[in-house]
Amino acid sequence: MSSTELPFVPPATVLPKVAPVRVGEGERIRSVGLPGITLTVRSRPPAREGLPPALYVHGLGGSSQNWSALMEQLEGDVDGEAVDLPGFGDSPPPDDGNYSITAHARAVIRFLDASGRGPVHLFGNSLGGAVSTRVAAVRPDLVRTLTLVSPALPEIRVQRTAVPTGLLAVPGVAGLFTRYSKDWTAEQRVRGVTALCYGDPGRVTPEGFRYAVEEMERRLQLPYFWDAMTRSARGLVNAYTLGGQHALWRQAERVLAPTFLVYGGRDQLVGFRMAQKAARAFRDSRLLTLPEAGHVAMMEYPETVAEAFREFAADRATSDGSVGGSDRRDGSGASGEGASGDGRDTATASGDGADATTVGS
């Protein structure tokens, strides 16, 4: 074979043709090639020019579609893009097969460096919250503000409902589960995921459920689907065991960007009790708790999360990044409840059917 000929690629290594990923009304999708990875990026044209850039990072087993509702809510506030991490959504696996938190963070950093859009309002959910925390800690120049929805940060006492997900990290478990669930329909799988991730599965519309089933059917045809899931779960568990400067809680303390934290009271994957620990760890933080929400508050209550983020971003912009100590702002339907014992102001609000408590530093 001459040096100009391409090597023969066995058919087994060719990815099968699957249905195209869904693109919502008003959204665009594109592929971005970077060293060692190819990322699919979902975006919405901003309502006007000159809006600050934002980047959204999904959780384990999720995709950029998880942010569609919030992106639409914030299209008048930020110029938003959502990335499919390597091996998830419509992004192919990374060339090196590395699904660690560091590798996912490196992918986000490479994308931000290549796009030249930083510093951005960086959003992360679950696994994406851990990834975004690491990005903000090691590359503060890329992050304007950090918004974390149920971030997957280390817990000593893991909830029982989160144990099955964590077991994916154990070698052999994914294979056993695949054989056990081989007869499950896509509808059954989606109902299981929805029951685990939503505080109230009834908030999923029939149309939204249908789209989720179509996406599940598409993913199950991908030969690397379970590999990406198990290796990413293993990478998250491994990150929990790291000490020193690489420990996630230590990196949370290093984050300089103003941080907006969102926790759901019915979250079955990230303990609601971790909300106060996170509020103490991030030096310039505001905490929004939604008692009726589950693990994906940005999907369940996008209007509430969007309104709270607007207030947070406006406050931080007004104070030029400084801590807003004694400044109490009433949001939509908010009423002041006085200062809490730790010196943080609190307010209660209701929006989109969810009672919310906001704690700002």
Side-chain angles (χ1 to χ4, degrees):
M1 182 176 70
S2 72
S3 60
T4 59
E5 292 178 320
L6 292 175
F8 171 73
V9 178
T13 66
V14 178
L15 297 181
K17 290 185 177 180
V18 297
V21 69
R22 180 177 177 274
V23 182
E25 183 178 355
E27 293 182 340
R28 299 173 180 173
I29 198 166
R30 72 184 193 279
S31 182
V32 179
L34 298 166
I37 53 173
T38 299
L39 300 178
T40 298
V41 180
R42 183 180 304 267
S43 63
R44 294 188 68 89
R48 61 184 184 278
E49 293 184 0
L51 292 178
L55 182 68
Y56 303 85
V57 186
H58 63 80
L60 182 66
S63 75
S64 57
Q65 294 184 64
N66 292 27
W67 295 103
S68 290
L70 187 62
M71 286 176 67
E72 183 175 5
Q73 288 293 320
L74 292 177
E75 64 182 355
D77 305 277
V78 298
D79 183 355
E81 295 183 332
V83 64
D84 285 334
L85 292 172
F88 292 93
D90 210 33
S91 293
D95 290 353
D96 61 4
N98 188 345
Y99 290 95
S100 66
I101 296 295
T102 297
H104 283 316
R106 187 183 304 122
V108 172
I109 289 171
R110 284 178 179 172
F111 173 70
L112 288 174
D113 278 337
S115 68
R117 284 164 48 88
V120 300
H121 292 292
L122 183 60
F123 292 73
N125 168 236
S126 191
L127 167 72
V131 170
S132 297
T133 296
R134 181 152 292 176
V135 171
V138 302
R139 288 293 303 274
D141 58 305
L142 295 177
V143 183
R144 184 184 306 242
T145 66
L146 179 63
T147 296
L148 304 177
V149 181
S150 295
L153 299 174
E155 300 182 45
I156 296 177
R157 292 183 294 111
V158 179
Q159 297 183 102
R160 284 179 296 177
T161 47
V163 170
T165 302
L167 286 176
L168 283 176
V170 179
V173 169
L176 290 173
F177 179 76
T178 301
R179 290 193 292 273
Y180 173 76
S181 63
K182 62 183 177 63
D183 295 326
W184 292 5
T185 65
E187 288 87 349
Q188 289 174 308
R189 295 174 189 271
V190 170
R191 291 192 190 281
V193 171
T194 302
L196 181 64
C197 293
Y198 275 68
D200 177 11
R203 295 187 66 83
V204 180
T205 65
E207 182 182 51
F209 182 80
R210 186 175 72 253
Y211 291 150
V213 170
E214 292 173 357
E215 175 62 13
M216 179 63 72
E217 291 173 338
R218 189 190 71 85
R219 292 184 188 183
L220 290 173
Q221 297 179 57
L222 299 172
Y224 55 82
F225 171 72
W226 282 112
D227 187 59
M229 283 283 291
T230 56
R231 289 177 183 269
S232 290
R234 194 171 303 151
L236 184 58
V237 171
N238 288 342
Y240 280 17
T241 65
L242 291 177
Q245 64 178 349
H246 299 294
L248 284 171
W249 283 115
R250 180 71 61 83
Q251 292 195 321
E253 294 170 352
R254 290 170 51 193
V255 171
L256 300 178
T259 303
F260 180 45
L261 302 163
V262 182
Y263 281 81
R266 294 184 176 180
D267 194 330
Q268 299 182 66
L269 294 171
V270 170
F272 185 64
R273 63 183 180 278
M274 303 305 292
Q276 292 296 335
K277 179 174 181 177
R280 292 190 297 268
F282 290 91
R283 66 181 68 189
D284 180 7
S285 68
R286 176 173 297 182
L287 171 63
L288 172 69
T289 59
L290 298 170
E292 301 302 313
H295 191 58
V296 287
M298 74 285 187
M299 299 175 71
E300 287 190 86
Y301 301 103
E303 294 90 348
T304 303
V305 174
E307 180 59 30
F309 169 76
R310 288 190 196 98
E311 295 179 6
F312 162 76
D315 286 350
R316 290 312 190 261
T318 300
S319 60
D320 194 26
S322 62
V323 178
S326 61
D327 179 34
R328 177 181 295 117
R329 288 180 172 272
D330 292 341
S332 175
S335 59
E337 296 292 338
S340 62
D342 62 358
R344 296 172 182 269
D345 292 335
T346 64
T348 58
S350 61
D352 195 26
D355 290 335
T357 301
T358 306
V359 180
S361 62

